[in-house]
Amino acid sequence: MVGIITYGAYIPKYRIKTEEIARVWGGDGPAIARGLGVYEKSLPDMDEDTITIAVEAARAALARRSIDPQDIGAIYVGSESHPYAVKPSAVTVGEAIMATPIMTAADYEFACKAGTAAIQTTMGLTKSNMIKYGLAIGADIAQGEPGDALEYTAAAGGVAFVIGNDSPIADINLTASYSSDTPDFWRREGLPFPRHGGRFTGEPGYFKHILAGSHLMFEKAGTKASDYDYAIFHQPNAKFAQNVAKTLGFTPEQIKPGLCVPYLGNTYSGASIIGLAATLDIAKPGDRIFVTSYGSGAGSDSFDITVTDMIESEEFCRDAAPTVEQLLATKKIVDYAVYAKHKGKIVVMR
Amino acid sequence: MSVPRFWREQQNRYNLIGTHCTTCNTYYYPPRILCPKCRREGKVVEHQFKGTGTVVTYSIIRSASDQFNDLTPYVIAIIELDEGTRLTSQVICEIDEMYIGMPVKRVFRRLGEDGESGPIFYGTKFVPA
Amino acid sequence: MRDVAVIGIGCTKFGELWDKSFRTLFIEAGEMAISDAGLSGDQIDEIFIGNMSAGRFVGQEHVGALIADYSGLATNNIPATRVEAACASGGLAFRQAFTSVASGMADIVVAAGAEKMNDVGTEETTDVLAAAADREWEGIAGVTFPGLYAMIARDYMNKYGLTREQLAAVAVKNHDNGLHNPIAQFPTKITIEGVMSSSLVADPIRLLDCSPVTDGAAAVILCPLERAHEFTDTPIQVLASTQASATIALHDRQDISTLDATVAAGNRAFKMSGLERSDIDFVEVHDCFTIAELCAIEDLGFCKKGEAGKLTEEGETARHGKIPVNTSGGLKSCGHPVGATGVKQIYEVVLQLRGEAGKRQIDAEIGMTHNVGGTGATVVCNILGRA
């Protein structure tokens, strides 16, 4: 069956506290942090971007399982912060893991769900035997305008999944998607920061699509929340994910391993699937995992996943790359000035 | 740096592809196509380095050229790869962590860019192992 | 091979010479040398000019022809050649002039060096100088020249226990010498504490460990020794002129804090002249950074590896020490217009040997120069003595 052959994550080591951002903009730090359920967010180093994050995640995936990179027939990188507007991130990743040149590649954008769209595409290509393995990546150095609510959560990180049919560590039993034209959040061509519809992003955007997509999956699979060991939802903040989980009947314990946002922030295209990676970090054979991503604009992709015996086999070495928990623990807190420099928010005229 | 100048050595920089003289068993990174020990007798083949090594010496740059100004202070070091050849690279770490003999491993980073509208150059830097 | 002598010398003031252009600087130094030798321009057979990067500093290549033209020698159609070996360009120009005269190809030859560095900003200068190292494999990592020498210093300190104070003593001593040199860019007294509290440029190298960015030019005239008395009563003979190469990148050196090319060029110079280290009365070495002077003293064989710091601290490299080093003030105090430095070193040695060094005059019959390109990829050594 088609599934996850291996996976790897990467999170830059720098963090800024929600309270520090609030200090600069005159917000009530502790209240904002509590309200969002987000206390720290990651930010990239001066020489990191979506491509370097994607490469590190892909290399982590390949470190865990010895597969020939030349067998990777497709690479899709989902992000809303590709370093180039025109010139694919995916080929730089391909070159950096020595998967080029016999492969297809493209960059994806669907707000925060471009990573799961990449997984679905590679599922199709591998299931139809067009390629042996596909590499699907969600990575971002998320943009949030200084002073905007997004700034409290927009974070940096990424995750890579190798998808294939050849003894996966986790079978992807089913996938289901729900899409509509809903302008809750966007970034116009050539502009540095996204804009959003404020509270409109909630009910008609996030909740409608995640709930509809998740119900679609329940129907397709003939399951209910209690049939799963773990669940992961797109997490722009902790509150949204907790609410949607509760509405669908999942317990706080089921979503706990995959709820990374409180000390990571929203890594946009990486957000839901870093949660999946964190869950795979601790999963055992037989565990069933429910995932629903969300991308503004808008749409959701759901997955029904069953962890296989391969995850504990000699062929797969979880310890060969850092877990999400380890990546989150490796951190350096910076102040707003350093954050602004790292994010290119200090404009130097040369 | 011009596009062709960088592109030509992209694989070397991305994946630490150097060379190996099989005649005298010497490794070269940066790559050499002529082995200085064997010269024309040398048989030089491509070799991918593992990407682990040790700091031989280092400095912390406080005053840099325009291209690197935003990074200051940053660490540059001469690193001896485990295979025995040496190269010059930035080491990404806290500046007070540095010491001679520090074990390091490769990471993928931006090396620079040709201005805001120009190409971005990627390649290998090192972090404490 | 014919014996060769220096019969005329000239050097501009070193410094930030805002009102002087590249060509003006050269002409000034050239005229001084020609008039010092009592020559007419028509007697000159050939010019060699050392220049590192007029192309980047002032946007001018084809420097040989430019100099011949503005010296008024283009009408004679004499050969004029620019030579380049980064900061050793001047030394190289001198050696080219020497070989030209020694071989009998030419009789009266000008060896000059010039650099106009202050027409661009500091960041640009840093980038231009970084081109003296391996641009593809050192420069791309963001190394700077102080950074490369800082890595030498770190390695040296680690191996030999050199102290920060000993390193600072090099700068203090050179400024003491520069104080008495009218062409010096920074004829100022500095202290050990001052060096050690100056700002970090590339740890452990601080601002006062570095030679400055300088505009300046120097020129000397060479001719066959047998003709020297036609022009001067005090000809200075070139007893040796040697050059050596080493790896362009510092990381490829066998020993990071030994400049193999200095060892090779030095040994060749002693062999060529038939002299011993003990015959040398003083030496002008390439102290682009304080650590470079210590390495030079050792690699030329004036003391064992690891001992130059102590030697300096004890005053043995001062003007009245056992082996005076950089009586001119060196690159550190006198200034370092990169292409001119190698020729300025000859200028200083000739002044000392003629007894024209004023307040910094020492008692000397034989002097040596040591000029480095990059981190030691090119080294030129010369030994000169009273004829």
Side-chain angles (χ1 to χ4, degrees):
Chain A
M1 182 182 267
V2 69
I4 297 163
I5 302 299
T6 180
Y7 70 99
Y10 180 78
I11 300 166
K13 77 169 178 180
Y14 294 96
R15 306 283 185 278
I16 184 166
K17 287 185 181 291
T18 306
E19 290 183 24
E20 170 68 3
I21 298 171
R23 181 183 67 83
V24 173
W25 299 108
D28 179 348
I32 292 169
R34 259 196 325 274
L36 294 168
V38 177
Y39 303 92
E40 290 169 16
K41 69 163 193 170
S42 62
L43 57 132
D45 204 342
M46 296 291 295
D47 54 0
E48 289 184 304
D49 61 20
T50 293
I51 288 181
T52 66
I53 289 169
V55 169
E56 288 296 327
R59 284 180 176 175
L62 295 180
R64 283 186 166 134
R65 192 162 185 173
S66 144
I67 64 164
D68 184 351
Q70 287 291 316
D71 284 337
I72 295 172
I75 299 179
Y76 297 98
V77 178
S79 179
E80 51 185 284
S81 54
H82 290 289
Y84 291 96
V86 179
K87 191 196 172 302
S89 301
V91 287
T92 305
V93 174
E95 199 92 356
I97 60 167
M98 301 176 85
T100 50
I102 314 293
M103 53 167 246
T104 182
D107 288 356
Y108 275 3
E109 185 281 308
F110 194 144
C112 297
K113 81 160 195 77
T116 53
I119 292 177
Q120 289 178 328
T121 311
T122 52
M123 282 172 66
L125 290 171
T126 50
K127 216 168 169 178
S128 63
N129 288 319
M130 271 180 69
I131 57 171
K132 184 169 183 190
Y133 299 123
L135 175 61
I137 297 175
D140 256 303
I141 51 163
Q143 308 108 336
E145 192 164 15
D148 186 86
L150 286 176
E151 198 189 16
Y152 290 108
T153 53
V159 57
F161 292 89
V162 176
I163 305 295
N165 300 306
D166 191 6
S167 24
I169 56 160
D171 291 334
I172 304 178
N173 308 314
L174 287 167
T175 181
S177 294
Y178 183 89
S179 307
S180 76
D181 185 346
T182 308
D184 60 331
F185 171 107
W186 61 89
R187 180 165 67 83
R188 293 284 298 270
E189 177 68 39
L191 293 177
F193 300 112
R195 285 183 57 185
H196 53 85
R199 292 190 61 79
F200 183 73
T201 57
E203 214 51 59
Y206 180 87
F207 290 103
K208 178 182 163 187
H209 291 80
I210 289 212
L211 291 173
S214 299
H215 283 304
L216 206 60
M217 178 56 88
F218 285 151
E219 269 171 46
K220 242 179 148 173
T223 52
K224 54 187 184 307
S226 59
D227 293 329
Y228 296 93
D229 297 282
Y230 301 108
I232 301 107
F233 298 98
H234 175 52
Q235 36 204 278
N237 55 59
K239 285 292 149 69
F240 273 30
Q242 285 159 342
N243 286 351
V244 88
K246 197 176 169 192
T247 308
L248 289 167
F250 289 97
T251 64
E253 286 68 39
Q254 281 170 294
I255 63 164
K256 192 166 178 259
L259 191 66
C260 301
V261 68
Y263 291 92
L264 171 61
N266 180 4
T267 55
Y268 287 12
S269 300
S272 54
I273 44 181
I274 281 184
L276 173 58
T279 306
L280 288 172
D281 285 342
I282 52 122
K284 292 188 174 53
D287 282 347
R288 199 157 175 191
I289 303 171
F290 188 88
V291 184
T292 304
S293 66
Y294 173 69
S296 286
S300 68
D301 299 325
S302 293
F303 300 87
D304 178 319
I305 295 167
T306 305
V307 178
T308 73
D309 294 341
M310 284 306 295
I311 204 161
E312 287 180 352
S313 73
E314 278 181 8
E315 254 185 69
F316 183 76
C317 180
R318 255 194 292 212
D319 293 342
T323 62
V324 173
E325 194 182 345
Q326 287 166 337
L327 289 166
L328 283 172
T330 310
K331 65 178 174 187
K332 187 189 179 195
I333 306 278
V334 299
D335 62 15
Y336 195 90
V338 171
Y339 160 77
K341 185 181 172 193
H342 278 231
K343 290 287 286 173
K345 290 178 180 182
I346 299 174
V347 179
V348 182
M349 299 302 287
R350 292 228 168 82
Chain B
M1 183 180 269
S2 77
V3 168
R5 244 177 78 205
F6 188 85
W7 168 80
R8 197 173 290 133
E9 281 155 355
Q10 203 165 259
Q11 261 304 339
N12 306 99
R13 297 194 197 280
Y14 286 7
N15 288 308
L16 284 178
I17 310 273
T19 53
H20 176 215
C21 175
T22 53
T23 309
C24 67
N25 194 29
T26 306
Y27 290 91
Y28 296 107
Y29 190 94
R32 285 178 186 268
I33 54 166
L34 182 84
C35 174
K37 291 183 189 167
C38 307
R39 292 198 274 273
R40 274 182 302 157
E41 272 73 50
K43 187 174 163 8
V44 176
V45 296
E46 269 196 358
H47 177 84
Q48 183 178 17
F49 290 85
K50 283 183 310 194
T52 48
T54 316
V55 171
V56 176
T57 182
Y58 68 95
S59 175
I60 296 145
I61 306 292
R62 308 272 179 170
S63 172
S65 63
D66 265 343
Q67 210 197 326
F68 296 97
N69 233 344
D70 292 348
L71 298 180
T72 55
Y74 60 90
V75 178
I76 53 152
I78 291 177
I79 291 161
E80 183 162 310
L81 294 177
D82 290 346
E83 292 88 343
T85 186
R86 289 175 176 186
L87 58 86
T88 302
S89 170
Q90 284 178 28
V91 176
I92 311 293
C93 66
E94 298 307 308
I95 57 176
D96 49 12
E97 277 183 70
M98 281 304 295
Y99 63 94
I100 289 175
M102 177 195 254
V104 290
K105 62 177 183 192
R106 70 162 185 172
V107 286
F108 193 79
R109 295 278 176 137
R110 272 185 190 219
L111 298 182
E113 62 181 7
D114 194 359
E116 260 199 14
S117 62
I120 304 164
F121 306 121
Y122 294 93
T124 301
K125 294 186 185 180
F126 287 79
V127 292
Chain C
M1 203 170 80
R2 302 193 289 184
D3 287 333
V4 179
V6 177
I7 54 168
I9 56 171
C11 190
T12 66
K13 172 96 178 80
F14 279 9
E16 291 176 351
L17 308 176
W18 302 111
D19 56 344
K20 292 192 174 144
S21 69
F22 175 70
R23 64 188 78 182
T24 316
L25 284 170
F26 172 82
I27 303 309
E28 201 177 292
E31 276 185 347
M32 286 161 77
I34 291 168
S35 96
D36 182 52
L39 288 169
S40 85
D42 287 338
Q43 290 169 284
I44 294 168
D45 295 321
E46 186 163 13
I47 300 175
F48 290 95
I49 173 152
N51 170 257
M52 176 181 169
S53 200
R56 293 279 308 274
F57 286 128
V58 295
Q60 178 70 57
E61 307 291 8
H62 210 170
V63 162
L66 172 84
I67 295 309
D69 181 6
Y70 274 74
S71 307
L73 299 172
T75 45
N76 293 356
N77 308 114
I78 63 161
T81 309
R82 176 236 191 127
V83 294
E84 189 275 314
C87 308
S89 300
L92 210 61
F94 181 79
R95 185 165 178 273
Q96 291 303 305
F98 169 82
T99 55
S100 179
V101 175
S103 69
M105 284 285 287
D107 263 11
I108 314 288
V109 177
V110 178
E115 209 77 54
K116 176 76 196 167
M117 301 174 77
N118 284 296
D119 280 2
V120 297
T122 309
E123 285 86 0
E124 175 80 4
T125 304
T126 304
D127 189 56
V128 174
L129 294 177
D134 187 338
R135 177 65 92 181
E136 305 279 315
W137 299 103
E138 290 181 308
I140 198 163
V143 298
T144 59
F145 248 79
L148 288 165
Y149 275 93
M151 290 200 283
I152 295 176
R154 174 95 53 196
D155 181 67
Y156 188 110
M157 286 170 148
N158 187 50
K159 279 182 186 143
Y160 305 111
L162 174 77
T163 66
R164 216 8 289 206
E165 286 82 354
Q166 288 170 335
L167 206 51
V170 175
V172 171
K173 182 264 298 172
N174 286 349
H175 274 264
D176 276 343
N177 291 342
L179 206 53
H180 305 293
N181 190 345
I183 65 159
Q185 181 171 9
F186 290 110
T188 43
K189 205 169 169 55
I190 60 169
T191 61
I192 299 277
E193 297 71 39
V195 178
M196 288 174 55
S197 62
S198 63
S199 59
L200 276 168
V201 173
D203 196 17
I205 287 185
R206 291 174 180 274
L207 186 65
L208 290 182
D209 287 303
C210 307
S211 56
V213 172
T214 310
D215 304 328
V220 299
I221 319 272
L222 293 86
C223 82
L225 180 63
E226 61 191 20
R227 288 192 59 193
H229 280 282
E230 290 175 33
F231 309 102
T232 177
D233 296 334
T234 52
I236 302 300
Q237 190 181 347
V238 184
L239 301 169
S241 185
T242 62
Q243 181 184 340
S245 309
T247 63
I248 182 85
L250 180 63
H251 56 235
D252 281 329
R253 305 280 162 74
Q254 291 292 315
D255 176 23
I256 301 291
S257 45
T258 298
L259 279 70
D260 303 327
T262 296
V263 175
N267 285 340
R268 283 173 199 158
F270 287 108
K271 193 174 171 207
M272 184 172 180
S273 62
L275 295 168
E276 303 291 330
R277 266 76 181 174
S278 55
D279 296 323
I280 305 295
D281 296 316
F282 70 111
V283 56
E284 285 284 300
V285 304
H286 196 93
D287 60 321
C288 48
F289 301 93
T290 46
I291 184 65
E293 175 162 321
L294 299 182
C295 290
I297 294 168
E298 294 163 359
D299 296 341
L300 289 172
F302 291 108
C303 69
K304 277 196 230 144
K305 205 73 205 165
E307 289 179 355
K310 194 161 167 279
L311 203 68
T312 305
E313 200 171 38
E314 288 169 353
E316 297 295 1
T317 59
R319 285 200 304 284
H320 303 293
K322 231 184 282 174
I323 175 75
V325 177
N326 284 331
T327 55
S328 69
L331 284 55
K332 176 72 199 79
S333 164
C334 193
H336 182 28
V338 288
T341 283
V343 182
K344 183 226 80 181
Q345 293 177 327
I346 304 287
Y347 173 83
E348 173 68 12
V349 168
V350 171
L351 280 181
Q352 289 285 0
L353 295 177
R354 284 182 183 172
E356 296 171 2
K359 282 189 183 166
R360 63 183 194 287
Q361 183 66 50
I362 57 168
D363 183 22
E365 284 180 15
I366 294 174
M368 184 172 190
T369 68
H370 162 261
N371 187 200
V372 177
T375 51
T378 299
V379 171
V380 179
C381 285
N382 296 289
I383 298 175
L384 295 95
R386 278 191 226 148

